[in-house]
Amino acid sequence: GQVKNNNKYRRDKPWDVDGIDHWDTKKFNDWSPEMMPAPLLEESSFATLFPKYREKYLRQVWPLVTRTLNSHHVACELNLIEGSMTVRTTRKTSDPYIIIKCRDLIKLLARSLPFQQGCKILEDDMHCDVIKIGGMVSNKERFVRRRQRLLGPDGATLKALELLTECYVMVQGNTVSAMGSIKGLKNVRKVVEDCMRNVHPVYNIKILMIKRELSKDPTLAGENWERFLPTFAKKTVKRKKPKVVGTKRQYTPFPPQQPESKIDQQLASGEYFLNEFQRKAQAKSEKVAKAKETAAVRKEARELAFVAPKETAGGRGAAGGGDDDSDLDSSDDESPAAAKKKVSFGRAGGGGSKTPSAFQLAASVKGKAGGDGVMAGGGAKRVAPDEADRDSAVLAPTKKKKTRRA
């Protein structure tokens, strides 16, 4: 297609020559009310919200804000109920652009700038820029690390940026507020946005330092500085692949089967057709059956404590010369008191050739209370159980009581 001639309808501007600096604001610094003798036809107003933690500070400095804006014939209002600040023009307002400056002032105050610094925005050669960085990084932890990278250790990076751009920079929450010249604000925005895009501020600060030195040389004013500026190659770091890679599921256009509802389960079991009385009876029978099963398991666990342990392979009379059969037979008829007093002959000496003492004979005779009796000593006389008790009382050594002497 044909290219449109954009210069077709342009007219010559004899007052617009190449020597004019369009960014020069010196002619507006000496503004006087005589430049606009008639008042403004319409009232202009701007309002902005502020966070809750900023309310205390704004209440303290609001008299200073009111006094400063009254000198420019601009009305202001602080609404603590809505949490907003409002500025509006009056009939006495003579500067038509001052309302834009007042709008920037309340916007900076809401972003935690101190009033002593924020009131400088009312000057003609001072501009501001509020850079929103909250939506540039999706990950919260990554956003905090990059914002801290912009500040640097002990604020060193931010201080270097302020010195090179001649701007006041403040990082607060999800925004970065900057005040200064238009050229400096442009550099600040570039550094901040590159930092949020994972470009370290040191690289841009190094470029700004080189440009600052080159600007001092008048011979290089009209030349291209690209050959003096460093070029930083991007490093592509390979990400670590996960060790376990999940298998991709095969796509099926059909949705998964829905789980059965409670009514479907009752229809399948037949419970749905029972009346209320039958349902309660069935639930009670299931509860009783479950209780019986639990009681049987608990009873079996209690009976495990009464099962006799298995005996070891070693015999009782292996070391001595005692008779194992006689000991096993007598153990059935022994009482606990008699078992404690029983003395084994086989464990005494290891051979059985020694003659037992009278005390050992008496104890052994007393232990066999249910039998026919044993031979006492080497004689043929049998001793009855009653006599054994008497003999044990006679033969047993008695302890003499010690009496005190008067």
Side-chain angles (χ1 to χ4, degrees):
Q2 296 180 358
V3 180
K4 292 183 178 181
N5 187 6
N6 295 328
N7 297 328
K8 181 178 179 180
Y9 299 102
R10 291 190 177 181
R11 297 290 181 266
D12 293 334
K13 299 176 182 178
W15 61 88
D16 191 4
V17 294
D18 295 336
I20 297 177
D21 186 6
H22 296 283
W23 294 103
D24 187 15
T25 59
K26 291 182 180 179
K27 56 185 177 181
F28 297 105
N29 290 340
D30 299 331
W31 179 267
S32 60
E34 290 78 12
M35 294 183 181
M36 193 182 70
L40 298 172
L41 297 178
E42 296 290 338
E43 179 186 281
S44 302
S45 63
F46 294 96
T48 182
L49 300 175
F50 59 87
K52 182 69 175 177
Y53 64 87
R54 196 66 176 157
E55 179 181 337
K56 183 179 179 181
Y57 178 78
L58 290 176
R59 292 179 64 181
Q60 294 176 355
V61 302
W62 198 250
L64 299 176
V65 176
T66 306
R67 190 183 313 162
T68 304
L69 297 185
N70 284 341
S71 62
H72 297 277
H73 304 289
V74 177
C76 60
E77 180 185 354
L78 177 65
N79 193 336
L80 298 178
I81 299 175
E82 296 180 358
S84 64
M85 294 179 287
T86 308
V87 291
R88 62 174 60 90
T89 58
T90 60
R91 295 284 295 177
K92 295 182 179 181
T93 304
S94 58
D95 188 354
Y97 193 71
I98 195 64
I99 189 63
I100 304 298
K101 292 286 186 179
C102 296
R103 178 202 63 182
D104 296 339
L105 173 62
I106 60 175
K107 186 166 60 174
L108 294 174
L109 290 177
R111 297 314 308 155
S112 299
L113 250 74
F115 172 73
Q116 289 75 13
Q117 180 66 32
C119 64
K120 296 180 182 179
I121 196 64
L122 299 177
E123 301 174 4
D124 290 332
D125 57 346
M126 187 67 67
H127 306 274
C128 72
D129 190 9
V130 178
I131 308 167
K132 296 180 181 180
I133 60 176
M136 292 186 178
V137 184
S138 59
N139 193 331
K140 185 68 176 177
E141 296 180 358
R142 193 178 302 163
F143 167 76
V144 173
R145 287 199 302 268
R146 292 182 184 179
R147 186 180 61 181
Q148 182 62 32
R149 190 184 301 166
L150 183 62
L151 296 173
D154 297 332
T157 305
L158 192 66
K159 187 66 177 177
L161 183 62
E162 289 179 345
L163 293 174
L164 291 172
T165 58
E166 297 180 356
C167 294
Y168 177 84
V169 185
M170 183 173 186
V171 182
Q172 174 67 26
N174 294 331
T175 58
V176 177
S177 304
M179 289 177 56
S181 62
I182 293 177
K183 185 178 179 180
L185 293 177
K186 185 178 179 181
N187 292 329
V188 170
R189 176 173 280 273
K190 184 178 184 303
V191 174
V192 171
E193 289 180 352
D194 287 350
C195 181
M196 290 294 112
R197 297 190 185 104
N198 202 20
V199 178
H200 204 282
V202 172
Y203 299 125
N204 287 315
I205 287 174
K206 189 174 182 179
I207 293 174
L208 291 175
M209 291 175 66
I210 296 172
K211 286 182 177 180
R212 185 179 184 182
E213 295 299 325
L214 293 174
S215 63
K216 296 178 181 179
D217 191 356
T219 59
L220 299 174
E223 295 185 11
N224 190 6
W225 293 349
E226 291 295 333
R227 66 180 187 273
F228 301 107
L229 301 179
T231 56
F232 304 101
K234 292 184 178 181
K235 296 181 180 179
T236 56
V237 181
K238 294 183 178 180
R239 294 185 178 180
K240 294 182 179 179
K241 294 183 179 180
K243 295 181 180 180
V244 180
V245 180
T247 57
K248 191 174 181 180
R249 296 181 180 179
Q250 188 177 2
Y251 172 73
T252 56
F254 305 104
Q257 185 179 2
Q258 295 294 329
E260 292 185 354
S261 63
K262 189 176 181 181
I263 297 177
D264 294 337
Q265 295 175 0
Q266 290 178 354
L267 287 170
S269 62
E271 185 182 353
Y272 183 80
F273 304 101
L274 301 178
N275 55 25
E276 190 66 24
F277 178 77
Q278 292 173 339
R279 288 178 187 174
K280 289 183 179 180
Q282 184 179 358
K284 188 175 181 180
S285 62
E286 291 177 358
K287 188 175 181 180
V288 171
K290 188 176 181 181
K292 287 182 180 180
E293 184 180 352
T294 307
V297 173
R298 290 181 179 177
K299 184 178 180 181
E300 185 179 352
R302 287 195 300 268
E303 289 178 353
L304 289 176
F306 299 99
V307 177
K310 296 181 179 179
E311 295 184 358
T312 56
R316 291 179 61 188
D323 191 0
D324 294 342
D325 296 335
S326 61
D327 292 342
L328 291 172
D329 295 339
S330 62
S331 63
D332 298 334
D333 301 331
E334 287 176 351
S335 63
K340 290 182 181 179
K341 296 182 180 180
K342 180 179 176 182
V343 180
S344 176
F345 293 93
R347 295 186 183 182
S353 57
K354 293 183 180 181
T355 306
S357 62
F359 178 73
Q360 292 173 343
L361 287 173
S364 62
V365 169
K366 184 179 179 182
K368 295 186 178 183
D372 296 328
V374 296
M375 297 297 294
K381 183 180 178 182
R382 290 182 176 273
V383 183
D386 297 335
E387 295 176 355
D389 294 337
R390 290 196 300 271
D391 295 341
S392 64
V394 173
L395 296 176
T398 58
K399 294 182 181 180
K400 295 182 179 180
K401 278 189 177 182
K402 292 183 181 181
T403 59
R404 287 186 180 181
R405 293 183 179 180

